[in-house]
Amino acid sequence: MALVPTPVVNEGPLFAEVEMGGDSSSSTVRATVVQASTIFYDTPATLDKAERLLAEAASYGAQLVVFPEAFIGGYPRGLTFGVSIGNRTDKGKEEFRKYHASAIDVPGPEVDRLAVMAGKYKVYLVMGVIERDGYTLYCTVLFFDSQGHYLGKHRKIMPTALERIIWGFGDGSTIPVYDTPVGKIGAAICWENRMPLLRTAMYAKGIEIYCAPTADAREVWQASMTHIALEGGCFVLSANQFCRRKDYPPPPEYVFSGTEEDLTPDSVVCAGGSVIISPSGAVLAGPNYDGEALISADLDLGEIVRAKFDFDVVGHYARPEILSLIVKDHPVSPVSFTSTSSTSKAESSSK
């Protein structure tokens, strides 16, 4: 069953979709941000839900679809995983085991299925996932093209607060901006977006459609999104989950620390606030705090050039002889092994 009703023929769109001004020479891209909740601890069911939402977005003409942070695998809102300074509880360790089981390998079968979805519905797909790499988890965004190809990923480089006990840290090798027919697409996750140097690196790569999957539903988040659109001269697409208490497992299996006794099944625990903002700072669609929704707008890519005429942070408004940035964009591994071929040559020479 669709999360939003199918619009009646000849009636207007159900969700806000704004036509931006522009001449016939400007390319226009229909973009949709998904505001919906994970089915927690049930990754196959969440993938099914993602496909229903993707199909519906495509039926409205979406060419680019952005999902929230940690949509596949889940954002463990309210959990402490039994951690206090100097101690971890057995219950918390079991919670992490279950969370680890809900994460996905990249590459892996779930990634393959997401790629098939993108190709089936002919959309560029930006998907928030929890990535499992051995026994370490990462908060990750995956990118897919409309032909069903997996393009790559961005790992969150700085988890926030208690997130750091469950997620590893991404390195500089996964800060991509993909040049696609619908624009140059990249992503930063939640409070990464408040890191000026990370934003500057993405601006230097020419980002045009800046995706910001998040778990922050506060009104002040909108100020950050507007600032990024103005600063970067880019479209900003922020997707957040809308969740009620009943969207998570019931207690005692899952307990919202410090607030559980005040919650009812219908209590809103994440209010969304998904939004689409133009390079001029105009809100094109959202923010939506009403429930699960598809939030769409037409992006006139000519607006980027008009905005850059005013302010190009890594172009005519830069002063590299005074201020510059070095990005260490190589993969970092805690363990390196010498070449096996060199070892083999040494063994051969000793015989």
Side-chain angles (χ1 to χ4, degrees):
M1 181 177 177
L3 291 173
V4 290
T6 301
V8 178
V9 176
N10 297 326
E11 288 191 354
L14 182 61
F15 299 110
E17 297 182 334
V18 180
E19 294 284 348
M20 296 176 60
D23 58 37
S24 59
S25 65
S26 296
S27 298
T28 301
V29 174
R30 172 61 58 89
T32 296
V33 294
V34 173
Q35 180 164 288
S37 67
T38 301
I39 302 174
F40 212 83
Y41 290 149
D42 195 337
T43 296
T46 302
L47 285 164
D48 290 343
K49 182 174 183 177
E51 180 160 10
R52 293 194 299 270
L53 290 162
L54 199 59
E56 188 156 9
S59 76
Y60 292 124
Q63 297 164 274
L64 168 66
V65 181
V66 182
F67 278 76
E69 177 180 12
F71 186 77
I72 306 296
Y75 187 83
R77 189 175 301 276
L79 288 184
T80 66
F81 292 90
V83 171
S84 59
I85 300 298
N87 186 57
R88 290 182 175 88
T89 67
D90 289 342
K91 182 177 185 297
K93 292 178 181 179
E94 175 60 15
E95 287 172 344
F96 183 77
R97 185 200 64 77
K98 292 171 66 176
Y99 190 52
H100 181 273
S102 298
I104 67 171
D105 296 325
V106 180
E110 294 85 2
V111 177
D112 293 342
R113 182 175 175 190
L114 289 167
V116 169
M117 290 182 202
K120 179 178 179 180
Y121 299 105
K122 305 300 181 187
V123 299
Y124 285 82
L125 173 61
V126 179
M127 175 64 74
V129 308
I130 300 303
E131 176 191 358
R132 180 177 55 228
D133 187 355
Y135 299 102
T136 296
L137 303 181
Y138 295 91
C139 185
T140 298
V141 168
L142 306 181
F143 300 86
F144 302 86
D145 70 16
S146 61
Q147 302 304 306
H149 301 125
Y150 166 61
L151 298 177
K153 67 186 178 185
H154 165 61
R155 283 177 172 175
K156 193 173 188 177
I157 65 171
M158 178 51 71
T160 299
L162 206 63
E163 293 173 357
R164 296 172 197 167
I165 69 167
I166 55 169
W167 296 340
F169 294 65
D171 61 34
S173 69
T174 67
I175 311 175
V177 171
Y178 295 102
D179 192 355
T180 78
V182 298
K184 295 178 181 178
I185 303 169
I189 305 168
C190 207
W191 279 21
E192 281 188 322
N193 289 285
R194 297 171 64 174
M195 300 174 71
L197 300 185
L198 175 60
R199 297 199 307 268
T200 302
M202 295 172 69
Y203 301 151
K205 291 188 175 186
I207 193 165
E208 296 173 333
I209 301 177
Y210 186 116
C211 303
T214 188
D216 191 341
R218 300 173 305 157
E219 288 187 15
V220 72
W221 179 253
Q222 303 301 317
S224 290
M225 297 298 95
T226 301
H227 173 76
I228 292 169
L230 288 168
E231 179 182 67
C234 53
F235 290 95
V236 173
L237 281 59
S238 183
N240 193 7
Q241 299 194 32
F242 183 94
C243 307
R244 299 184 185 275
R245 176 62 186 88
K246 63 187 177 184
D247 292 318
Y248 287 82
E253 179 184 7
Y254 193 108
V255 175
F256 278 73
S257 178
T259 61
E260 186 65 60
E261 61 185 20
D262 299 323
L263 300 176
T264 70
D266 288 323
S267 294
V268 175
V269 295
C270 183
S274 301
V275 69
I276 300 176
I277 301 176
S278 81
S280 67
V283 175
L284 302 182
N288 184 303
Y289 297 100
D290 298 328
E292 293 195 330
L294 302 177
I295 301 160
S296 301
D298 287 344
L299 315 183
D300 171 12
L301 300 186
E303 184 71 10
I304 296 170
V305 181
R306 293 188 281 272
K308 297 285 192 180
F309 178 64
D310 289 338
F311 185 81
D312 185 353
V313 68
V314 291
H316 62 77
Y317 227 89
R319 290 295 304 277
E321 74 279 18
I322 303 172
L323 303 168
S324 62
L325 171 65
I326 297 173
V327 180
K328 298 177 181 178
D329 60 355
H330 57 280
V332 178
S333 174
V335 180
S336 298
F337 294 93
T338 57
S339 170
T340 55
S341 60
S342 297
T343 303
S344 297
K345 291 177 181 178
E347 290 175 348
S348 297
S349 63
S350 66
K351 291 181 180 178

